Amino acid sequence: MPSLEQTCECGGSGELSAPRLRSDTPERAGLDPGEIRHLVEEFHALADGEHPWAAGAVVVVGRGPVIAVAEATGWAVRYASYDPEADAGVELPPEARVPMTVDTPFDLASLTKLFTAVAAVQQIERGTLGIDARVGAYLPDFRAAAAQGITVRELLTHTSGLRPELPLYDCADDEQRLEMLRSEVPIGVPGTYTYSDLNLLLLQQVLERITGRTLDVLVHDGITRPLGMTATGFGPCPGAAATEDQRRPWAKADRGMLRGVVHDENAWALGGVAGHAGLFSTAHDLAIFCRALLTGGAYGPARILGPDFVELLLTPPGLGFALDQRWFMGELAGRGAVGHTGFTGTSLVLDPATDTFVILLANTVHPRRRPSDSRPRAAVGTRVARAVRT
């Protein structure tokens, strides 16, 4: 595999730019082809049968600048609705289904949190946001957070004590939703870990207040545009993989079969742009994102963060990456990998020790949500860990 120096190009500033991704063989990526072959076989089985793990899925595996695996299986749209009496999806006729491709966009769900975290660290790097500053210094009208002394670091590490979520989708309007956030008092012990969407919603408010720009603009201008992630953005995204026939009692709103609009009920209530959910993207775009973080914040001629601030993101306890959530990584978890999952069936893993990344995107909530099953994700992570050649 070529060294970084051999494959770098020179940017306009004279600084070497990080090599762009290219597709090549597992051997060229330093991955064992036998393990990769088994990975691909097992991956295609995930969408097989009458009750598959997911209606469809996409997997991308890369090491260094090489994408060694890029595969799609199953259907982006398979069901017209969900039949609660039969406890099964109502299948579309074959000619009406939409096949999954490697370019299919997905509702990223909580992978959105990673982009919000990067946007926050960009402000920390610029000196406009203090990592240990109190949220109340930026949002004095958010009375409960201010009174409790919640800090930016606590939001980014899920140690604020805030509960996992609030029923913002039941509020009458945006002002009522904001008032609910302003008055929400932590219920946990500050400093202890409790994964919470509210942390990223408050962080969104902080970022928008200090920059005067909305989160979608911050993500576009600071991350996706410089990296060339042209398929990534907040919805609507009409060509995305379908998610859920969203109805009560199993969901929190009655919206019918969803495709191209955000699945998360709170993000939907907030207009589709939220710190915890709302982004759509493809596996290839996420590969660029992963590669930029693995190279210390650069991709091609673009740099979104300095290496020290990428290290801040990825080093335990991490910022936004919820580093104690490793159950879905398989044997990659033992190498110090970091990553995140999304409720709709999305996940990514970065392994800085071996310069490896794994992206598995699936519409596991199509036609309706089920108890989470991360065994297929863990199996992919284990295959990749065993495939890495030193």
Side-chain angles (χ1 to χ4, degrees):
M1 184 169 59
S3 68
L4 182 64
E5 291 77 16
Q6 290 171 321
T7 57
C8 277
E9 301 168 350
C10 192
S13 66
E15 180 184 353
L16 287 179
S17 62
R20 297 179 185 274
L21 290 165
R22 68 179 191 276
S23 296
D24 213 323
T25 63
E27 292 92 336
R28 291 289 182 90
L31 298 171
D32 179 76
E35 289 289 349
I36 295 300
R37 183 173 61 253
H38 288 307
L39 182 158
V40 171
E41 291 171 352
E42 292 163 0
F43 165 75
H44 281 285
L46 296 178
D48 287 347
E50 191 174 338
H51 301 288
W53 177 67
V58 176
V59 65
V60 168
V61 178
R63 189 179 187 197
V66 177
I67 292 178
V69 177
E71 296 278 338
T73 190
W75 305 96
V77 184
R78 177 173 174 174
Y79 303 101
S81 61
Y82 169 74
D83 181 348
E85 292 187 5
D87 189 23
V90 178
E91 293 199 275
L92 290 163
E95 65 273 12
R97 299 177 195 174
V98 179
M100 192 70 76
T101 74
V102 294
D103 298 319
T104 298
F106 283 78
D107 179 339
L108 296 185
S110 284
L111 294 193
T112 302
K113 293 181 172 75
L114 303 182
F115 289 81
T116 306
V118 170
V121 175
Q122 287 177 330
Q123 298 303 316
I124 293 168
E125 182 176 25
R126 292 167 189 161
T128 55
L129 181 64
I131 189 169
D132 289 311
R134 295 191 174 190
V135 170
Y138 306 107
L139 302 173
D141 50 322
F142 280 65
R143 303 176 301 278
Q148 296 295 320
I150 292 174
T151 67
V152 171
R153 188 188 297 271
E154 287 171 342
L155 297 182
L156 282 162
T157 55
H158 294 283
T159 55
S160 68
L162 290 168
R163 72 184 74 199
E165 65 172 359
L166 288 170
L168 302 178
Y169 45 83
D170 282 339
C171 294
D173 52 37
D174 286 344
E175 183 53 39
Q176 190 177 17
R177 293 180 190 100
L178 278 174
E179 180 55 31
M180 186 176 283
L181 285 171
R182 290 187 189 111
S183 59
E184 177 63 16
V185 176
I187 61 170
V189 178
T192 59
Y193 180 85
T194 303
Y195 181 79
S196 171
D197 290 349
L198 303 186
N199 290 316
L200 280 298
L201 284 171
L202 255 65
L203 188 60
Q204 175 188 2
Q205 295 294 319
V206 171
L207 291 173
E208 293 184 344
R209 186 74 59 89
I210 65 175
T211 65
R213 294 185 289 170
T214 55
L215 181 64
D216 55 333
V217 173
L218 291 171
V219 169
H220 177 261
D221 290 353
I223 304 172
T224 61
R225 184 173 65 183
L227 293 180
M229 297 173 62
T230 57
T232 303
F234 289 92
C237 182
T243 54
E244 183 176 35
D245 183 2
Q246 196 170 92
R247 287 183 275 155
R248 293 180 173 93
W250 58 83
K252 303 160 191 170
D254 293 298
R255 300 167 62 201
M257 184 60 74
L258 304 179
R259 185 187 185 198
V261 292
V262 65
H263 174 272
D264 182 89
E265 293 94 339
N266 276 341
W268 164 67
L270 292 166
V273 178
H276 71 292
L279 273 177
F280 289 79
S281 188
T282 63
H284 182 267
D285 266 21
L286 290 178
I288 293 173
F289 181 70
C290 290
R291 186 68 189 139
L293 294 179
L294 287 170
T295 57
Y299 182 78
R303 177 170 291 282
I304 59 169
L305 281 174
D308 290 347
F309 291 89
V310 174
E311 186 176 356
L312 188 65
L313 270 171
L314 303 184
T315 302
L319 302 180
F321 274 83
L323 297 189
D324 70 330
Q325 297 186 19
R326 297 174 180 269
W327 69 88
F328 66 95
M329 299 182 187
E331 291 180 12
L332 277 177
R335 300 173 181 268
V338 301
H340 214 288
T341 62
F343 186 81
T344 52
T346 58
S347 63
L348 63 79
V349 180
L350 312 176
D351 182 14
T354 60
D355 199 18
T356 304
F357 63 86
V358 182
I359 297 158
L360 180 57
L361 306 178
N363 52 353
T364 56
V365 297
H366 183 53
R368 69 154 286 188
R369 64 190 71 186
R370 300 286 186 185
S372 179
D373 179 7
S374 279
R375 288 175 295 180
R377 297 188 185 108
V380 170
T382 296
R383 284 291 183 195
V384 173
R386 294 176 182 179
V388 170
R389 294 171 168 174
T390 56

